[in-house]
């Protein structure tokens, strides 16, 4: 049976993946394609609906990103968002102009909730605006279905043709009714029934993988991160002992992490899989000794990882399939899907060896967003602690130690980081118990890093000359931009006092409040 699908056409706006995620939250499958995608290809995919995203261009300029007018004549419902709405009007004979001021931020709007797009949306609501251009005249056949003080056409429709345009961004959380609007579009206007569910994804994919792999042998580089763990368990449910997982402990993991991964996936854990743990910290420390250039570190760690992995793969013998935990944002960001600019390409330590003997790569999660991977993880019975793990860079603590790396410095950063995480988790779970939800300041990623700075302190009666720890905690949606999380001062004080008392070699604690940009989340 073919799955119902919405196509998201990407004009290069910053929220484009968010649009796709919100559609998926409505249990409707969607894929992102560049605006340059050929109209015939779009037709062949037989989408139930099309969404045109925002983007940085002005549709009336020469060489602006555009689409074929035929797109609006396919008989398929189309929803334009921000730039997408303006473009739809421009292409169909309306008028778009530059306003004197940019309309930006939370904005009150009045909607006509007799429109199918705004069914069950309160007449007066808030939305997130971010535009310079505005629709100054609607195209023939269109009527205005929402207005704001500065925007005479905050939303427009031609209901008989199933064409809709919204000037604001329903996909961001600052538009509280936004998901309902997208739901109205994909479920009611396009008629999608909601056939995209993670429980059926698990069942369907176990069967598909089993049929595809047959009696072949499968190898998986397991990092203990969410993606590779979910991929490994899915594969193990499909082909059992035909799968071997190799977990390389490069000595740059968080405190106790290697043992925790082994406890879940090793012989004592609930999954009956072939699990090989390679304790390789010594060889990594030797290779990294005296290196303080961040890119060199990343390169050395990445290469050494591959060498270790290859050695293990050779011991196993020829394998037919190699599993990778690639997820949909990796596909989109590598330019295979949408149009978004590649801001930073991370090489993942789970990266592929060039010449391991295998005939095919299997990427069972390549259609999924992170939140969907997590749901699949829960469906598969993977512990919540692992499923909701915060992101951890492939090069591990290697990018959280400024300057050269040694076992001693790894110990300091591991211990400080464990204290920081413990205190944040304790405070937030106490808060949750009395308030029902985590506090507003709860960071999306938080960790300790070791600065290369040593300074003078006093402990008891003794002078110290020790290292300073930096505490980093950020709020972020997509990890492309971030702001510092406002952790209560008392929590920071407890963390500071515990770190200095409990972690040998550290006598000072600093909080890094830099946003991204201009900083990055990791210090290196
Ligand atoms: P930055 O430091 O670029 O980090 O702001 C953004 C997000 O990516 C993670 N990160 C990495 N992940 N390999 C990875 O797999 C890497 O080399 C790497 N560097 C950063 C970082 O933890 C944050 O979540």
């Amino acid at each position: 049976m073919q799955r119902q699908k919405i196509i998201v056409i990407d004009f290069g706006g910053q929220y484009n993946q968010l649009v796709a995620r919100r559609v998926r939250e409505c249990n409707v499958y969607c894929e992102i394609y560049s605006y340059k995608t050929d109209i015939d290809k779009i037709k062949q995919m037989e989408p139930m609906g099309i969404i045109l995203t925002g983007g940085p261009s002005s549709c009336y300029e020469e060489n602006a990103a555009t689409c074929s007018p035929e797109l609006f004549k396919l008989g398929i419902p189309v929803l334009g968002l921000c730039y997408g709405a303006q473009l739809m009007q421009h292409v169909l004979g309306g008028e778009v102009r530059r306003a004197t001021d940019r309309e930006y931020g939370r904005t009150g709007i009045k909607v006509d909730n007799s429109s199918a797009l705004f069914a069950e949306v309160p007449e007066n609501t808030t939305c997130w605006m971010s535009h310079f251009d505005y629709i100054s005249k609607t195209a023939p056949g269109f009527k205005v279905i929402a207005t704001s003080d500065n925007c005479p056409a905050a939303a427009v429709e031609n209901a008989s043709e199933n064409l809709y345009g919204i000037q604001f961004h329903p996909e961001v959380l600052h538009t509280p009714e936004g998901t309902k609007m997208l739901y109205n579009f994909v479920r009611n206007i396009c008629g999608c029934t909601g056939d995209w569910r993670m429980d059926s994804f698990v069942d369907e994919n176990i069967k598909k993988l089993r049929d595809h792999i047959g009696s072949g042998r499968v190898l998986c580089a397991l990092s203990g991160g969410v993606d590779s763990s979910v991929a490994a368990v899915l594969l193990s449910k499909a082909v059992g002992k035909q799968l071997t997982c190799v977990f390389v402990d490069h000595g740059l993991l968080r405190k106790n992490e290697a043992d925790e991964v082994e406890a879940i996936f090793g012989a004592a854990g609930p999954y009956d899989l072939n699990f090989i743990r390679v304790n390789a910290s010594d060889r990594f420390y030797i290779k990294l000794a005296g290196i303080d250039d961040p890119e060199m570190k990343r390169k050395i760690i990445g290469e050494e990882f591959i060498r270790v992995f290859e050695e293990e793969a050779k011991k196993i013998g020829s394998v037919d399939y190699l599993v990778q935990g690639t997820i949909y944002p990796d596909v989109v960001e590598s330019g295979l899907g949408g149009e978004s600019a590649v801001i930073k390409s991370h090489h993942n330590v789970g990266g592929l060896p060039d010449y391991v003997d295998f005939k095919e790569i299997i990427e069972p999660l390549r259609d999924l967003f992170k939140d969907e991977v997590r749901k699949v993880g829960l469906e598969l019975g993977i512990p919540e602690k692992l499923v909701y793990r915060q992101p951890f860079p492939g090069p591990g603590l290697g990018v959280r130690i400024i300057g050269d790396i040694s076992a001693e410095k790894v110990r300091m950063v591991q211990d400080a980081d464990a204290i920081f995480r413990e205190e944040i988790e304790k405070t937030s779970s106490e808060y949750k118990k009395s308030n029902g939800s985590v506090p507003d300041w709860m960071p999306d990623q938080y960790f300790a890093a070791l600065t290369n700075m040593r300074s003078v302190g006093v402990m008891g009666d003794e002078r110290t000359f020790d290292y300073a720890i930096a505490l980093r905690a950020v709020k972020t949606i997509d990890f492309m931009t971030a702001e510092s999380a406002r952790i209560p001062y008392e929590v920071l004080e407890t963390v500071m006092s515990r770190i200095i008392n409990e972690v040998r070699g550290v006598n000072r604690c600093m909080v890094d409040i830099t946003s991204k940009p201009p900083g990055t989340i990791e210090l290196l």
Side-chain angles (χ1 to χ4, degrees):
M1 196 184 76
Q2 203 188 337
R3 187 188 296 134
Q4 297 173 341
K5 186 192 284 186
I6 296 285
I7 299 282
V8 175
I9 299 194
D10 182 359
F11 288 92
Q14 58 176 324
Y15 303 127
N16 297 345
Q17 287 195 32
L18 216 47
V19 174
R21 274 173 56 191
R22 295 276 174 262
V23 171
R24 302 262 189 109
E25 278 169 24
C26 303
N27 297 113
V28 173
Y29 183 70
C30 65
E31 285 177 0
I32 305 174
Y33 289 92
S34 160
Y35 70 91
K36 294 174 188 150
T37 308
D38 197 72
I39 182 95
D40 288 329
K41 185 172 171 199
I42 293 174
K43 279 198 263 184
Q44 271 164 22
M45 289 189 269
E46 298 180 9
M48 301 277 287
I50 295 171
I51 298 180
L52 312 179
T53 74
S57 322
S58 280
C59 58
Y60 44 78
E61 277 171 357
E62 222 181 299
N63 299 327
T66 190
C67 64
S68 159
E70 205 193 327
L71 195 79
F72 304 109
K73 303 205 163 61
L74 299 175
I76 300 170
V78 183
L79 170 65
L81 304 179
C82 196
Y83 181 76
Q86 296 163 4
L87 182 68
M88 180 192 286
Q89 293 303 294
H90 178 72
V91 169
L92 295 176
E95 201 175 73
V96 176
R97 283 208 191 141
R98 175 135 288 214
T100 40
D101 292 310
R102 181 177 182 212
E103 191 179 28
Y104 183 80
R106 282 197 180 85
T107 308
I109 47 163
K110 198 173 159 77
V111 305
D112 171 0
N113 48 20
S114 68
S115 160
L117 191 62
F118 295 138
E120 291 179 38
V121 173
E123 196 178 346
N124 290 298
T125 182
T126 310
C127 72
W128 183 257
M129 289 281 191
S130 171
H131 63 113
F132 240 125
D133 291 343
Y134 71 106
I135 299 164
S136 51
K137 196 176 117 213
T138 54
F142 279 81
K143 69 169 189 177
V144 171
I145 51 169
T147 53
S148 74
D149 283 349
N150 291 319
C151 202
V156 295
E157 73 170 19
N158 179 341
S160 58
E161 302 284 327
N162 271 330
L163 302 177
Y164 297 82
I166 299 183
Q167 177 57 76
F168 51 90
H169 289 277
E171 66 275 21
V172 303
L173 293 175
H174 307 307
T175 304
E177 299 291 329
T179 304
K180 193 178 285 166
M181 297 169 192
L182 290 171
Y183 184 97
N184 285 338
F185 180 69
V186 297
R187 298 287 293 263
N188 301 338
I189 295 170
C190 302
C192 296
T193 52
D195 63 356
W196 174 245
R197 294 185 179 273
M198 288 307 111
D199 47 355
S200 44
F201 175 92
V202 169
D203 295 340
E204 272 171 35
N205 276 275
I206 287 177
K207 188 176 173 319
K208 249 202 248 166
L209 289 165
R210 201 174 278 153
D211 292 346
H212 184 76
I213 293 168
S215 59
R217 285 167 78 179
V218 188
L219 186 63
C220 174
L222 181 64
S223 70
V226 186
D227 306 338
S228 67
S229 300
V230 171
V233 175
L234 194 64
L235 258 300
S236 108
K237 298 246 176 197
V239 298
K241 288 285 182 108
Q242 286 160 247
L243 169 74
T244 301
C245 295
V246 177
F247 167 61
V248 179
D249 176 2
H250 51 25
L252 299 163
L253 297 169
R254 287 168 288 193
K255 191 171 183 177
N256 301 331
E257 193 167 6
D259 293 342
E260 283 166 15
V261 172
E262 184 169 6
I264 297 171
F265 296 105
Y271 304 106
D272 187 22
L273 45 78
N274 297 317
F275 174 85
I276 298 174
R277 169 174 170 174
V278 190
N279 294 319
S281 38
D282 288 347
R283 57 191 279 188
F284 279 84
Y285 295 161
I286 290 169
K287 282 265 155 71
L288 288 166
I291 307 288
D292 64 5
D293 177 72
E295 287 309 306
M296 281 276 280
K297 281 185 192 172
R298 273 201 161 78
K299 220 167 155 242
I300 292 170
I301 298 168
E303 272 180 21
E304 197 58 14
F305 179 90
I306 288 172
R307 296 288 92 79
V308 176
F309 186 74
E310 273 173 359
E311 286 167 25
E312 292 307 312
K314 276 208 189 97
K315 285 185 212 159
I316 295 165
S318 73
V319 284
D320 303 288
Y321 302 96
L322 188 75
V323 181
Q324 283 228 298
T326 316
I327 67 171
Y328 196 50
D330 305 332
V331 176
V332 176
E333 276 152 31
S334 63
L336 297 175
E339 195 53 33
S340 317
V342 176
I343 298 196
K344 181 171 180 178
S345 62
H346 289 135
H347 85 211
N348 211 323
V349 159
L352 270 190
D354 285 338
Y355 49 89
V356 170
D357 191 14
F358 58 87
K359 72 175 187 216
E360 195 185 318
I361 298 169
I362 295 190
E363 298 174 311
L365 310 176
R366 66 177 281 128
D367 288 340
L368 305 190
F369 283 108
K370 195 78 166 188
D371 34 355
E372 294 172 322
V373 173
R374 293 203 162 106
K375 280 191 200 141
V376 170
L378 294 178
E379 288 289 333
L380 290 167
I382 299 177
E384 275 193 29
K385 191 168 173 223
L386 198 160
V387 166
Y388 288 102
R389 235 179 72 144
Q390 42 171 325
F392 185 62
L397 302 180
V399 293
R400 293 185 181 170
I401 295 174
I402 300 179
D404 65 329
I405 293 172
S406 66
E408 188 57 7
K409 287 185 181 173
V410 169
R411 177 198 52 80
M412 284 185 226
V413 78
Q414 277 181 336
D415 288 350
D417 180 68
I419 292 171
F420 187 33
R421 285 190 289 129
E422 193 183 309
E423 291 299 328
I424 295 265
E425 277 145 32
K426 192 172 99 195
T427 314
S428 100
S429 82
E430 276 163 10
Y431 183 97
K432 196 172 174 188
K433 255 186 228 147
S434 31
N435 297 280
S437 63
V438 293
D440 280 350
W441 53 261
M442 185 66 189
D444 298 297
Q445 192 172 4
Y446 48 103
F447 54 86
L450 189 70
T451 71
N452 205 23
M453 186 196 86
R454 290 171 80 198
S455 65
V456 174
V458 56
M459 280 281 255
D461 290 333
E462 290 202 11
R463 176 185 185 276
T464 56
F465 184 56
D466 282 336
Y467 284 100
I469 280 285
L471 303 177
R472 182 82 169 128
V474 295
K475 297 283 278 181
T476 173
I477 294 177
D478 54 9
F479 297 89
M480 300 276 192
T481 59
E483 55 192 68
S484 147
R486 296 175 180 220
I487 299 175
Y489 213 82
E490 314 81 74
V491 181
L492 291 173
E493 276 179 336
T494 308
V495 173
M496 175 276 297
S497 152
R498 280 196 58 195
I499 288 179
I500 292 172
N501 280 305
E502 296 173 35
V503 185
R504 213 174 356 99
V506 175
N507 70 350
R508 211 171 273 270
C509 221
M510 311 192 169
V511 180
D512 178 359
I513 60 162
T514 322
S515 58
K516 172 183 178 176
T520 51
I521 295 175
E522 301 291 345
L523 270 63
L524 296 178

